[in-house]
Amino acid sequence: MFDVDISVLSALRWSSSRSPSTLSVRPALGANAIGRLSLAAFAGPIRFWLPLAGATLVAATAGYGAMLLVSP
């Protein structure tokens, strides 16, 4: 249901930053992260989903930083 990682990474790798495929894949990546975190928070105790929340925050911050460095 929330497994779009391979398609997201492939589309982002092979397309330009302003192409329609990239612009449509970014919301899928966000939905993937939010969906996994929501399912983990709903299904398990805090010790299971808190590390996932931290990793999601680190990944989002790193991705945004990389976008700022690479963008013209």
Side-chain angles (χ1 to χ4, degrees):
M1 180 172 185
F2 291 108
D3 196 19
V4 296
D5 296 330
I6 294 173
S7 63
V8 168
L9 295 175
S10 297
L12 289 176
R13 181 176 180 189
W14 293 109
S15 63
S16 69
S17 63
R18 294 178 193 246
S19 71
S21 63
T22 303
L23 295 176
S24 64
V25 166
R26 287 180 184 161
L29 182 60
N32 183 13
I34 292 169
R36 286 178 187 239
L37 187 56
S38 299
L39 286 175
F42 180 72
I46 194 167
R47 65 185 173 106
F48 290 136
W49 63 266
L50 194 58
L52 181 60
T56 301
L57 182 61
V58 168
T61 304
Y64 185 70
M67 182 189 71
L68 291 177
L69 287 173
V70 174
S71 298

